[in-house]
Short mmCIF file of all heavy atoms in Angstrom, two decimals:
data_model
loop_
_atom_site.label_atom_id
_atom_site.label_comp_id
_atom_site.label_asym_id
_atom_site.label_seq_id
_atom_site.Cartn_x
_atom_site.Cartn_y
_atom_site.Cartn_z
N PHE A 335 124.99 79.95 125.27
CA PHE A 335 126.19 79.32 125.82
C PHE A 335 125.89 77.84 126.09
O PHE A 335 124.74 77.47 126.34
CB PHE A 335 126.59 79.99 127.13
CG PHE A 335 126.94 81.45 126.98
CD1 PHE A 335 126.03 82.44 127.34
CD2 PHE A 335 128.16 81.85 126.47
CE1 PHE A 335 126.34 83.78 127.21
CE2 PHE A 335 128.48 83.19 126.33
CZ PHE A 335 127.56 84.15 126.70
N PRO A 336 126.90 76.97 126.05
CA PRO A 336 126.69 75.56 126.39
C PRO A 336 126.12 75.42 127.80
O PRO A 336 126.42 76.23 128.69
CB PRO A 336 128.11 74.96 126.30
CG PRO A 336 128.85 75.88 125.38
CD PRO A 336 128.29 77.25 125.63
N GLU A 337 125.31 74.42 127.98
CA GLU A 337 124.64 74.21 129.28
C GLU A 337 125.64 74.05 130.42
O GLU A 337 125.38 74.50 131.53
CB GLU A 337 123.73 72.98 129.21
CG GLU A 337 122.48 73.19 128.38
CD GLU A 337 121.58 74.26 128.97
OE1 GLU A 337 121.49 74.33 130.21
OE2 GLU A 337 121.01 75.03 128.20
N TRP A 338 126.77 73.44 130.13
CA TRP A 338 127.72 73.17 131.23
C TRP A 338 128.28 74.45 131.81
O TRP A 338 128.70 74.49 132.96
CB TRP A 338 128.85 72.25 130.77
CG TRP A 338 129.72 72.82 129.70
CD1 TRP A 338 129.59 72.68 128.36
CD2 TRP A 338 130.89 73.63 129.90
NE1 TRP A 338 130.58 73.35 127.70
CE2 TRP A 338 131.39 73.94 128.61
CE3 TRP A 338 131.56 74.12 131.02
CZ2 TRP A 338 132.53 74.72 128.43
CZ3 TRP A 338 132.69 74.90 130.83
CH2 TRP A 338 133.16 75.19 129.57
N THR A 339 128.30 75.54 131.03
CA THR A 339 128.82 76.80 131.56
C THR A 339 127.90 77.38 132.63
O THR A 339 128.33 78.13 133.50
CB THR A 339 128.99 77.84 130.44
OG1 THR A 339 127.71 78.12 129.86
CG2 THR A 339 129.93 77.32 129.37
N LYS A 340 126.62 77.02 132.54
CA LYS A 340 125.67 77.54 133.52
C LYS A 340 125.71 76.74 134.81
O LYS A 340 125.43 77.25 135.89
CB LYS A 340 124.25 77.49 132.94
CG LYS A 340 124.09 78.24 131.64
CD LYS A 340 122.72 78.01 131.04
CE LYS A 340 122.61 78.68 129.67
NZ LYS A 340 121.30 78.40 129.04
N ASN A 341 126.06 75.45 134.69
CA ASN A 341 125.99 74.58 135.86
C ASN A 341 127.35 74.21 136.43
O ASN A 341 127.45 73.47 137.39
CB ASN A 341 125.26 73.27 135.48
CG ASN A 341 123.88 73.55 134.90
OD1 ASN A 341 123.20 74.45 135.36
ND2 ASN A 341 123.49 72.78 133.90
N ARG A 342 128.41 74.74 135.85
CA ARG A 342 129.75 74.29 136.20
C ARG A 342 130.06 74.43 137.68
O ARG A 342 130.63 73.56 138.30
CB ARG A 342 130.78 75.07 135.37
CG ARG A 342 132.19 74.58 135.57
CD ARG A 342 133.11 75.16 134.53
NE ARG A 342 134.41 74.54 134.59
CZ ARG A 342 135.36 74.73 133.69
NH1 ARG A 342 135.15 75.52 132.68
NH2 ARG A 342 136.53 74.12 133.81
N LYS A 343 129.68 75.53 138.27
CA LYS A 343 130.06 75.76 139.66
C LYS A 343 129.31 74.84 140.62
O LYS A 343 129.66 74.72 141.78
CB LYS A 343 129.81 77.21 140.04
CG LYS A 343 128.35 77.63 139.91
CD LYS A 343 128.19 79.11 140.24
CE LYS A 343 126.74 79.55 140.11
NZ LYS A 343 126.60 81.00 140.40
N HIS A 344 128.26 74.18 140.12
CA HIS A 344 127.49 73.29 140.99
C HIS A 344 127.87 71.83 140.83
O HIS A 344 127.35 70.97 141.52
CB HIS A 344 125.99 73.44 140.68
CG HIS A 344 125.50 74.85 140.82
ND1 HIS A 344 125.49 75.53 142.00
CD2 HIS A 344 125.01 75.71 139.89
CE1 HIS A 344 125.00 76.75 141.83
NE2 HIS A 344 124.70 76.88 140.55
N ILE A 345 128.78 71.52 139.90
CA ILE A 345 129.09 70.13 139.60
C ILE A 345 130.16 69.61 140.55
O ILE A 345 131.23 70.19 140.68
CB ILE A 345 129.57 69.97 138.15
CG1 ILE A 345 128.44 70.42 137.22
CG2 ILE A 345 130.00 68.57 137.85
CD1 ILE A 345 128.83 70.39 135.75
N VAL A 346 129.86 68.54 141.21
CA VAL A 346 130.82 67.89 142.11
C VAL A 346 130.77 66.39 141.85
O VAL A 346 129.85 65.89 141.23
CB VAL A 346 130.49 68.19 143.60
CG1 VAL A 346 130.62 69.65 143.89
CG2 VAL A 346 129.08 67.70 143.94
N LYS A 347 131.75 65.69 142.35
CA LYS A 347 131.76 64.25 142.16
C LYS A 347 130.82 63.56 143.15
O LYS A 347 130.46 64.11 144.17
CB LYS A 347 133.18 63.71 142.33
CG LYS A 347 134.11 64.15 141.20
CD LYS A 347 135.46 63.48 141.35
CE LYS A 347 136.34 63.85 140.17
NZ LYS A 347 137.66 63.21 140.26
N THR A 348 130.44 62.31 142.80
CA THR A 348 129.55 61.56 143.67
C THR A 348 130.20 61.29 145.02
O THR A 348 131.36 60.88 145.10
CB THR A 348 129.19 60.21 143.00
OG1 THR A 348 128.60 60.49 141.74
CG2 THR A 348 128.25 59.42 143.86
N VAL A 349 129.46 61.54 146.07
CA VAL A 349 129.97 61.35 147.42
C VAL A 349 129.14 60.27 148.11
O VAL A 349 127.92 60.34 148.15
CB VAL A 349 129.87 62.67 148.24
CG1 VAL A 349 130.34 62.45 149.65
CG2 VAL A 349 130.69 63.76 147.55
N LYS A 350 129.78 59.30 148.65
CA LYS A 350 129.11 58.22 149.36
C LYS A 350 129.51 58.26 150.83
O LYS A 350 130.69 58.17 151.16
CB LYS A 350 129.51 56.87 148.75
CG LYS A 350 128.91 55.68 149.48
CD LYS A 350 129.39 54.39 148.85
CE LYS A 350 128.89 53.19 149.63
NZ LYS A 350 129.38 51.93 149.05
N PRO A 351 128.56 58.48 151.73
CA PRO A 351 128.88 58.52 153.17
C PRO A 351 129.52 57.20 153.60
O PRO A 351 129.09 56.12 153.20
CB PRO A 351 127.50 58.72 153.82
CG PRO A 351 126.66 59.32 152.73
CD PRO A 351 127.15 58.71 151.45
N LYS A 352 130.53 57.31 154.45
CA LYS A 352 131.23 56.12 154.93
C LYS A 352 130.32 55.26 155.80
O LYS A 352 129.52 55.77 156.59
CB LYS A 352 132.45 56.53 155.75
CG LYS A 352 133.54 57.20 154.90
CD LYS A 352 134.73 57.53 155.75
CE LYS A 352 135.84 58.16 154.88
NZ LYS A 352 137.03 58.48 155.68
N GLY A 353 130.46 53.96 155.63
CA GLY A 353 129.71 53.03 156.46
C GLY A 353 128.27 52.88 156.08
O GLY A 353 127.51 52.21 156.77
N LEU A 354 127.83 53.49 154.97
CA LEU A 354 126.42 53.42 154.59
C LEU A 354 126.31 52.64 153.29
O LEU A 354 126.94 52.95 152.29
CB LEU A 354 125.85 54.83 154.38
CG LEU A 354 124.38 54.89 153.94
CD1 LEU A 354 123.48 54.30 155.01
CD2 LEU A 354 123.97 56.33 153.63
N LYS A 355 125.52 51.57 153.35
CA LYS A 355 125.28 50.77 152.16
C LYS A 355 124.09 51.35 151.41
O LYS A 355 123.02 51.54 152.00
CB LYS A 355 125.01 49.31 152.53
CG LYS A 355 126.22 48.61 153.12
CD LYS A 355 125.90 47.15 153.40
CE LYS A 355 127.12 46.44 153.97
NZ LYS A 355 126.83 45.01 154.24
N LEU A 356 124.29 51.61 150.15
CA LEU A 356 123.23 52.23 149.35
C LEU A 356 122.57 51.19 148.46
O LEU A 356 123.23 50.35 147.86
CB LEU A 356 123.81 53.33 148.47
CG LEU A 356 124.50 54.48 149.20
CD1 LEU A 356 125.08 55.45 148.18
CD2 LEU A 356 123.54 55.20 150.12
N SER A 357 121.25 51.26 148.41
CA SER A 357 120.52 50.41 147.48
C SER A 357 120.63 51.00 146.09
O SER A 357 121.10 52.12 145.90
CB SER A 357 119.05 50.32 147.88
OG SER A 357 118.44 51.60 147.76
N LYS A 358 120.16 50.30 145.11
CA LYS A 358 120.26 50.74 143.73
C LYS A 358 119.51 52.05 143.51
O LYS A 358 119.93 52.92 142.77
CB LYS A 358 119.73 49.65 142.81
CG LYS A 358 120.06 49.86 141.36
CD LYS A 358 119.67 48.64 140.55
CE LYS A 358 120.08 48.82 139.11
NZ LYS A 358 119.74 47.63 138.30
N ASN A 359 118.36 52.18 144.18
CA ASN A 359 117.53 53.37 144.00
C ASN A 359 117.98 54.53 144.87
O ASN A 359 117.98 55.67 144.46
CB ASN A 359 116.06 53.05 144.31
CG ASN A 359 115.49 52.06 143.31
OD1 ASN A 359 115.88 52.07 142.14
ND2 ASN A 359 114.56 51.21 143.75
N SER A 360 118.36 54.23 146.12
CA SER A 360 118.71 55.30 147.04
C SER A 360 120.03 55.97 146.69
O SER A 360 120.31 57.07 147.13
CB SER A 360 118.79 54.77 148.47
OG SER A 360 119.80 53.78 148.57
N SER A 361 120.86 55.30 145.86
CA SER A 361 122.15 55.89 145.51
C SER A 361 121.98 57.19 144.74
O SER A 361 122.85 58.05 144.74
CB SER A 361 122.98 54.91 144.67
OG SER A 361 122.30 54.62 143.46
N LYS A 362 120.82 57.39 144.10
CA LYS A 362 120.58 58.61 143.35
C LYS A 362 120.50 59.82 144.26
O LYS A 362 120.70 60.94 143.82
CB LYS A 362 119.28 58.47 142.56
CG LYS A 362 119.35 57.40 141.47
CD LYS A 362 118.04 57.34 140.72
CE LYS A 362 118.09 56.27 139.63
NZ LYS A 362 116.83 56.19 138.87
N LEU A 363 120.18 59.60 145.52
CA LEU A 363 120.05 60.72 146.45
C LEU A 363 121.39 61.39 146.68
O LEU A 363 121.45 62.57 147.02
CB LEU A 363 119.49 60.21 147.79
CG LEU A 363 118.07 59.64 147.75
CD1 LEU A 363 117.72 59.05 149.11
CD2 LEU A 363 117.07 60.71 147.35
N PHE A 364 122.48 60.65 146.52
CA PHE A 364 123.81 61.19 146.80
C PHE A 364 124.60 61.44 145.52
O PHE A 364 125.76 61.79 145.58
CB PHE A 364 124.59 60.20 147.69
CG PHE A 364 123.90 59.93 148.99
CD1 PHE A 364 123.09 58.82 149.12
CD2 PHE A 364 124.06 60.79 150.07
CE1 PHE A 364 122.44 58.57 150.31
CE2 PHE A 364 123.41 60.53 151.26
CZ PHE A 364 122.61 59.42 151.39
N SER A 365 123.93 61.25 144.38
CA SER A 365 124.63 61.42 143.11
C SER A 365 124.55 62.85 142.62
O SER A 365 123.50 63.46 142.67
CB SER A 365 124.03 60.50 142.03
OG SER A 365 124.20 59.16 142.40
N LYS A 366 125.66 63.35 142.20
CA LYS A 366 125.74 64.67 141.60
C LYS A 366 126.28 64.50 140.18
O LYS A 366 126.86 63.48 139.83
CB LYS A 366 126.67 65.59 142.41
CG LYS A 366 126.19 65.84 143.83
CD LYS A 366 124.95 66.69 143.84
CE LYS A 366 124.50 66.98 145.26
NZ LYS A 366 123.26 67.77 145.29
N LYS A 367 126.08 65.52 139.41
CA LYS A 367 126.51 65.47 138.03
C LYS A 367 128.04 65.38 137.95
O LYS A 367 128.74 66.13 138.62
CB LYS A 367 126.03 66.73 137.32
CG LYS A 367 126.03 66.64 135.83
CD LYS A 367 125.37 67.89 135.31
CE LYS A 367 125.17 67.78 133.83
NZ LYS A 367 124.50 68.97 133.33
N VAL A 368 128.54 64.48 137.13
CA VAL A 368 129.98 64.27 137.01
C VAL A 368 130.37 64.41 135.54
O VAL A 368 129.73 63.85 134.67
CB VAL A 368 130.39 62.88 137.52
CG1 VAL A 368 131.89 62.69 137.41
CG2 VAL A 368 129.94 62.69 138.96
N TRP A 369 131.40 65.17 135.29
CA TRP A 369 131.91 65.29 133.93
C TRP A 369 132.80 64.11 133.59
O TRP A 369 133.49 63.56 134.43
CB TRP A 369 132.75 66.55 133.79
CG TRP A 369 131.95 67.78 133.64
CD1 TRP A 369 130.63 67.90 133.34
CD2 TRP A 369 132.44 69.11 133.79
NE1 TRP A 369 130.26 69.20 133.28
CE2 TRP A 369 131.34 69.97 133.55
CE3 TRP A 369 133.67 69.65 134.10
CZ2 TRP A 369 131.46 71.35 133.62
CZ3 TRP A 369 133.79 71.02 134.15
CH2 TRP A 369 132.70 71.86 133.92
N SER A 370 132.78 63.73 132.34
CA SER A 370 133.72 62.74 131.82
C SER A 370 134.52 63.39 130.71
O SER A 370 134.03 64.28 130.01
CB SER A 370 132.98 61.51 131.27
OG SER A 370 132.27 60.87 132.32
N ASN A 371 135.76 62.95 130.56
CA ASN A 371 136.62 63.51 129.53
C ASN A 371 136.20 62.96 128.17
O ASN A 371 136.27 61.76 127.91
CB ASN A 371 138.08 63.14 129.81
CG ASN A 371 139.03 63.84 128.86
OD1 ASN A 371 138.62 64.61 128.01
ND2 ASN A 371 140.32 63.56 129.01
N ILE A 372 135.77 63.85 127.29
CA ILE A 372 135.28 63.41 125.98
C ILE A 372 136.39 62.82 125.13
O ILE A 372 136.13 62.01 124.23
CB ILE A 372 134.59 64.57 125.24
CG1 ILE A 372 133.80 64.02 124.06
CG2 ILE A 372 135.61 65.63 124.80
CD1 ILE A 372 132.87 65.00 123.43
N ASN A 373 137.64 63.15 125.43
CA ASN A 373 138.74 62.57 124.68
C ASN A 373 138.99 61.11 125.05
O ASN A 373 139.74 60.42 124.36
CB ASN A 373 140.02 63.39 124.90
CG ASN A 373 140.01 64.69 124.12
OD1 ASN A 373 139.49 64.75 123.01
ND2 ASN A 373 140.56 65.75 124.70
N ASP A 374 138.40 60.66 126.16
CA ASP A 374 138.52 59.26 126.57
C ASP A 374 137.25 58.46 126.28
O ASP A 374 137.22 57.24 126.49
CB ASP A 374 138.83 59.16 128.07
CG ASP A 374 140.19 59.76 128.41
OD1 ASP A 374 141.07 59.74 127.53
OD2 ASP A 374 140.35 60.25 129.55
N ALA A 375 136.20 59.15 125.83
CA ALA A 375 134.91 58.49 125.63
C ALA A 375 134.93 57.60 124.39
O ALA A 375 135.57 57.92 123.38
CB ALA A 375 133.81 59.53 125.50
N SER A 376 134.22 56.50 124.48
CA SER A 376 134.07 55.60 123.33
C SER A 376 132.76 55.92 122.62
O SER A 376 131.94 56.70 123.11
CB SER A 376 134.08 54.14 123.79
OG SER A 376 132.93 53.89 124.61
N ALA A 377 132.56 55.29 121.48
CA ALA A 377 131.31 55.49 120.75
C ALA A 377 130.11 55.03 121.58
O ALA A 377 129.05 55.66 121.57
CB ALA A 377 131.36 54.74 119.41
N GLU A 378 130.30 53.96 122.32
CA GLU A 378 129.22 53.45 123.18
C GLU A 378 128.92 54.43 124.31
O GLU A 378 127.77 54.63 124.69
CB GLU A 378 129.60 52.09 123.75
CG GLU A 378 129.61 50.96 122.73
CD GLU A 378 128.24 50.74 122.10
OE1 GLU A 378 127.24 50.81 122.84
OE2 GLU A 378 128.19 50.51 120.89
N ASP A 379 129.96 55.05 124.85
CA ASP A 379 129.77 56.04 125.92
C ASP A 379 128.92 57.21 125.44
O ASP A 379 128.05 57.71 126.16
CB ASP A 379 131.11 56.56 126.43
CG ASP A 379 131.94 55.48 127.12
OD1 ASP A 379 131.32 54.54 127.65
OD2 ASP A 379 133.18 55.58 127.11
N LEU A 380 129.19 57.66 124.23
CA LEU A 380 128.49 58.82 123.70
C LEU A 380 127.00 58.54 123.45
O LEU A 380 126.19 59.46 123.43
CB LEU A 380 129.14 59.30 122.40
CG LEU A 380 130.56 59.87 122.53
CD1 LEU A 380 131.14 60.16 121.16
CD2 LEU A 380 130.54 61.14 123.38
N LYS A 381 126.67 57.28 123.26
CA LYS A 381 125.27 56.93 122.95
C LYS A 381 124.34 57.10 124.14
O LYS A 381 123.12 57.00 123.99
CB LYS A 381 125.21 55.50 122.40
CG LYS A 381 125.63 55.40 120.96
CD LYS A 381 125.19 54.07 120.37
CE LYS A 381 126.38 53.17 120.22
NZ LYS A 381 126.03 51.88 119.60
N VAL A 382 124.90 57.37 125.32
CA VAL A 382 124.02 57.64 126.47
C VAL A 382 123.35 59.00 126.33
O VAL A 382 122.36 59.29 127.01
CB VAL A 382 124.82 57.60 127.80
CG1 VAL A 382 125.50 56.27 127.97
CG2 VAL A 382 125.84 58.73 127.87
N VAL A 383 123.90 59.84 125.45
CA VAL A 383 123.31 61.16 125.21
C VAL A 383 122.14 61.01 124.26
O VAL A 383 122.25 60.41 123.19
CB VAL A 383 124.36 62.12 124.59
CG1 VAL A 383 123.72 63.48 124.30
CG2 VAL A 383 125.54 62.28 125.53
N ARG A 384 121.02 61.56 124.66
CA ARG A 384 119.82 61.46 123.84
C ARG A 384 120.03 62.22 122.53
O ARG A 384 120.43 63.38 122.52
CB ARG A 384 118.63 62.05 124.58
CG ARG A 384 117.31 61.84 123.87
CD ARG A 384 116.16 62.29 124.73
NE ARG A 384 114.89 62.06 124.08
CZ ARG A 384 113.70 62.34 124.61
NH1 ARG A 384 113.65 62.86 125.83
NH2 ARG A 384 112.59 62.10 123.96
N GLY A 385 119.76 61.55 121.42
CA GLY A 385 119.94 62.18 120.11
C GLY A 385 121.17 61.67 119.39
O GLY A 385 121.38 62.02 118.23
N ILE A 386 121.98 60.86 120.08
CA ILE A 386 123.20 60.31 119.46
C ILE A 386 123.05 58.80 119.31
O ILE A 386 122.85 58.09 120.29
CB ILE A 386 124.45 60.64 120.28
CG1 ILE A 386 124.71 62.13 120.26
CG2 ILE A 386 125.67 59.90 119.72
CD1 ILE A 386 125.98 62.54 120.93
N GLY A 387 123.12 58.35 118.06
CA GLY A 387 123.05 56.93 117.77
C GLY A 387 124.38 56.42 117.24
O GLY A 387 125.43 57.02 117.47
#
Side-chain angles (χ1 to χ4, degrees):
F335 299 101
E337 288 297 322
W338 64 268
T339 62
K340 303 173 185 177
N341 304 322
R342 185 168 189 171
K343 60 183 180 181
H344 303 296
I345 299 177
V346 296
K347 291 186 176 181
T348 303
V349 177
K350 177 182 176 182
K352 292 182 179 181
L354 179 63
K355 293 183 179 180
L356 300 177
S357 65
K358 193 172 183 179
N359 294 327
S360 62
S361 61
K362 294 181 180 180
L363 296 174
F364 301 95
S365 297
K366 298 291 182 182
K367 198 173 188 179
V368 181
W369 281 345
S370 297
N371 187 2
I372 194 168
N373 284 325
D374 295 332
S376 65
E378 289 299 320
D379 294 333
L380 293 174
K381 282 195 254 183
V382 302
V383 178
R384 187 173 182 179
I386 293 185

